[in-house]
Amino acid sequence: MEDQVSSKHTTNAAAYVDTSKAERAVWLMKCPPLVSRSLRAPPSRPVAKVVVSIDPLNSNDDDSPPQFTMELAGTEAGHIPKCYVMDMSKDFIPMSVFSDTPQGKISVEGKILNKFDMRPHNQNLELYAKLCRERTNKYMVKSRQIQVIDNDTGAHMRPMPGMISFSTSGPSQEKKKTPAKATDTKRTRRDRGEMEEIVFKLFERQPNWSLRNLIQETDQPEQFLKDILKDLCVYNNKGTNQGTYELKPEYRKSGD
């Protein structure tokens, strides 16, 4: 029976999760990026050491938990702080660590026992603050460069989607550059009270108006006219007068 199970496990390795290490205690540590890069050094040499400090007089006291400190190896380039405090916490959601291989094998590497938040030691605060300032100044430097282009016709530049390509044929291009919306910029708003009177008179002529016809009659900006119609009229979404405005009942009564 064991041979059959192991054979099946080997054949369909991608369909199983290896849980042989599921109960192994694992520490979860949140550390700054510069520490993370230092810990990725080749495993042929020690990269850091963890120092555990215990008060022998209060070793059983919950108010005096062990103090953890990490010291990085002193071979990294640059002025990187070497000493960090590891604040331990056990108040977190139960978690496990998983790993996978290029072959698709998934394994449980252990269960999170302690969670640590790393911060610079007091003796390294000034150095760490200096690094943060240097990093901020580095990202604030603009990397833009101004380059003079000899060929200023733009023929060698690929047009972006939606852009009008450069052309020597002037008349056809001029027609494209004069959209109908240009007339909207010439419309000048009237006084709102005056416009309301004009709208009432138009609806005395006929009970229903489309927005396009009202714009042609009043020669007013579209959004300004919409705001007035929203206060005075009702828009018909369906029925025989679909797509038109008519006066609200209270204004129709006053009109009559």
Side-chain angles (χ1 to χ4, degrees):
M1 184 65 180
E2 291 181 357
D3 293 338
Q4 293 178 356
V5 173
S6 61
S7 175
K8 185 177 181 180
H9 180 81
T10 304
T11 305
N12 301 320
Y16 293 88
V17 177
D18 184 4
T19 59
S20 59
K21 303 177 183 178
E23 296 301 321
R24 184 174 65 169
V26 179
W27 288 2
L28 176 64
M29 183 177 67
K30 181 180 179 181
C31 61
L34 58 90
V35 177
S36 178
R37 290 191 295 267
S38 299
L39 296 179
R40 291 175 188 169
S44 58
R45 59 182 179 83
V47 293
K49 67 177 179 179
V50 176
V51 180
V52 182
S53 303
I54 301 176
D55 187 353
L57 299 179
N58 300 312
S59 58
N60 296 325
D61 190 355
D62 294 336
D63 295 334
S64 300
Q67 302 296 320
F68 295 85
T69 305
M70 176 177 286
E71 297 178 2
L72 299 179
T75 57
E76 291 81 4
H79 302 286
I80 299 177
K82 307 300 180 185
C83 190
Y84 296 86
V85 176
M86 300 168 58
D87 295 326
M88 184 178 68
S89 173
K90 291 188 177 182
D91 185 16
F92 55 88
I93 300 174
M95 293 181 287
S96 296
V97 180
F98 291 82
S99 66
D100 60 350
T101 63
Q103 292 76 23
K105 181 181 178 181
I106 302 176
S107 304
V108 184
E109 297 297 333
K111 181 170 58 177
I112 303 299
L113 178 64
N114 295 322
K115 177 178 175 292
F116 293 91
D117 292 309
M118 181 179 288
R119 57 182 174 84
H121 196 277
N122 292 338
Q123 67 186 31
N124 294 138
L125 285 179
E126 184 176 352
L127 180 58
Y128 189 78
K130 180 181 178 182
L131 280 175
C132 292
R133 287 194 299 269
E134 291 176 353
R135 182 178 58 188
T136 302
N137 294 334
K138 178 181 177 181
Y139 286 109
M140 288 179 64
V141 176
K142 296 182 179 180
S143 58
R144 291 182 180 179
Q145 295 182 354
I146 299 176
Q147 183 178 0
V148 179
I149 302 176
D150 296 332
N151 182 9
D152 60 352
T153 61
H156 67 288
M157 301 175 67
R158 183 177 63 182
M160 298 297 290
M163 292 179 60
I164 301 176
S165 59
F166 293 96
S167 175
T168 55
S169 56
S172 61
Q173 187 174 356
E174 288 297 328
K175 292 180 180 179
K176 294 181 181 179
K177 287 185 178 181
T178 56
K181 192 177 180 182
T183 58
D184 205 28
T185 59
K186 298 179 182 179
R187 296 188 175 110
T188 304
R189 287 190 181 187
R190 293 175 178 264
D191 179 72
R192 185 179 180 91
E194 181 183 357
M195 268 307 304
E196 290 180 355
E197 292 296 330
I198 294 175
V199 169
F200 284 134
K201 291 180 180 179
L202 288 174
F203 278 97
E204 288 177 1
R205 286 168 44 188
Q206 63 184 52
N208 297 90
W209 286 86
S210 67
L211 178 62
R212 178 180 298 179
N213 291 337
L214 285 172
I215 293 176
Q216 293 175 351
E217 288 285 338
T218 61
D219 194 28
Q220 291 296 293
E222 180 178 343
Q223 188 58 48
F224 176 57
L225 191 57
K226 279 184 176 180
D227 293 339
I228 295 177
L229 295 175
K230 183 178 179 181
D231 295 335
L232 304 181
C233 302
V234 176
Y235 183 75
N236 296 308
N237 290 311
K238 55 184 178 180
T240 56
N241 297 318
Q242 182 179 3
T244 63
Y245 289 89
E246 64 181 49
L247 286 177
K248 292 181 179 179
E250 57 267 29
Y251 294 118
R252 287 205 301 268
K253 292 178 182 178
S254 63
D256 294 339

